[in-house]
Amino acid sequence: MTTESQVRADDRAHVFHSWSAQGLIDPLPIEKALGSHFWDYSGKKYLDFSSQLVNINIGHQHPRLIAAIQEQAGRLATIQPAFANDKRGEAARMIAEIAPANLNKVFFTNGGAEANENAIRMARLHTGRHKVLSTYRSYHGSTATAITATGDPRRWPNEPVAVGVVHFWGPYPYRSPFHSANEQEESQRALQHLRDTIVFEGPGTIAAILLETVVGTNGILVPPPGYLAGVREICDEFGIVFIADEVMAGFGRCGEWFAVDRWGVAPDLITFAKGVNSGYLPLGGVVISEEIAETFRERPFPGGLTYSGHPLACASAVASMQIFKEEGIVEHARALGDDIIGPALAALQEKHPSVGEVRGLGVFWAIELVTNQDTKAPLVPFNAAGPAAAPMNAVAAACKERGLWPFVHFNRLHVVPPCTITADELREGLAIIDEALTVADGFSA
């Protein structure tokens, strides 16, 4: 039987961790997980309010999903992408059936970064243009073009990588870059800013606008009314491909199959990963409109992956979508947001001076922490590290001490549990956050 000490020893000796200074981390060994919880080797139980990396939408170890993977492994473990495969085709059909408008083809990848890479490639080849516009508050993956399109500080040490990416400001009513007084004004001014950026970059040079439908790690920023429809109109006007990055926001996270459904907007390409099979196996992809797919009817698409549409991963996606439908998980996620999370976080905002704003949809929410509600000064500086990040580290530690594993980024505490979490588990976690926020209150001016 593997011991905690052996796990730690092997990890420290041989595992090279992402986004980390290797000598400054001490990863917690995890022994098992089930539903909305996971356990360390000491037997301590954590309520997973991070869904790991906001991807365990169906919860840990769902028995039907595990069984589907086991069944497929016993029948056909792998087959290369050039062959047709039953689970690959079924997964593509099921995804196309829930996608908006005429998005009817699926190109499978191993994750979200590769999905965005290939979506950008498709847009460039379809339009014959090279530039891609994306927002500053964004994350699109760590591969070459995806990290260049990313707007957050993870891009900085990776530069220069790709060319042709231009960043612009997206809407953020709480900290409006346009000095807007309300959501309507924010939407209008953000759209005018986008239009101005396009005009000065040259509409004929722009292949795509890449947007997270609801910005994820960089703030869970819900687009104000009219914004996505306005982006769609601008793209149509200038012949630009609209790529909706739904890697984090899709598959139930926002209480919809795809977050764009909430606004009735149909992009040209949708990128997905994470929630499609809750990370039980690596899987992502691009849902493609008929118009863009037609570009490659007699012209080869110059991209591919050895594991594109891997049978085990696709079998898990088919089972996951079946479970979502039969167990009403999308509807459950929407109800949790409307009936429990939204009202509870609004009450926390009233109670705690450290809470500047709460926002979100479904099981996709952010608590923005400040030192002063009037000035909106963030609890920690932008991209804080070391001692400057101590207040947020203290809040996270208070959650963990009480058995809740949080998702923390910059000055925000995100509430992103599995879409399958029960109402009682959710209330338990929110009560722990209530206690942890007293730590944040201690830093308020």
Side-chain angles (χ1 to χ4, degrees), residues 289-300:
S289 70
E290 292 283 7
E291 182 182 6
I292 293 178
E294 186 64 24
T295 298
F296 304 101
R297 180 173 294 277
E298 297 183 0
R299 172 189 182 183

Side-chain angles (χ1 to χ4, degrees), residues 103 116 119 140 209-213 228 241-247 258 260 265-272 285-287:
L103 279 77
N116 284 321
H140 297 291
I209 295 173
L210 172 62
L211 291 178
E212 290 176 277
T213 305
L228 292 180
V241 172
F242 182 5
I243 306 173
D245 180 343
E246 297 244 352
V247 170
F258 289 110
V260 290
V265 173
D268 301 296
L269 299 170
I270 297 176
T271 58
F272 67 88
V286 187
V287 196

Side-chain angles (χ1 to χ4, degrees), residues 144-204:
T145 311
I147 196 66
T148 304
T150 288
D152 78 22
R154 283 171 284 188
R155 182 185 79 250
W156 304 347
N158 285 289
E159 293 175 318
V161 182
V163 297
V165 174
V166 176
H167 290 97
F168 66 98
W169 293 104
Y172 185 1
Y174 182 65
R175 297 187 184 280
S176 172
F178 312 109
H179 308 286
S180 302
N182 52 56
E183 285 195 333
Q184 181 181 8
E185 197 168 73
E186 181 76 357
S187 183
Q188 293 170 345
R189 293 183 179 184
L191 288 169
Q192 185 60 51
H193 165 67
L194 174 57
R195 179 178 290 277
D196 291 344
T197 303
I198 290 169
V199 169
F200 278 83
E201 285 295 331

Side-chain angles (χ1 to χ4, degrees), residues 42 107 145 167 202 226 266 274 278 285 315-316 349 392:
S42 73
F107 176 79
T145 311
H167 290 97
K274 293 186 183 284
S278 292
S316 68
Q349 184 174 5
M392 286 303 298

Side-chain angles (χ1 to χ4, degrees), residues 312-335:
L312 287 182
C314 287
S316 68
V318 168
S320 179
M321 286 184 280
Q322 290 171 340
I323 293 165
F324 262 62
K325 291 176 180 178
E326 293 168 17
E327 297 185 6
I329 292 173
V330 173
E331 296 79 6
H332 179 66
R334 186 185 309 136

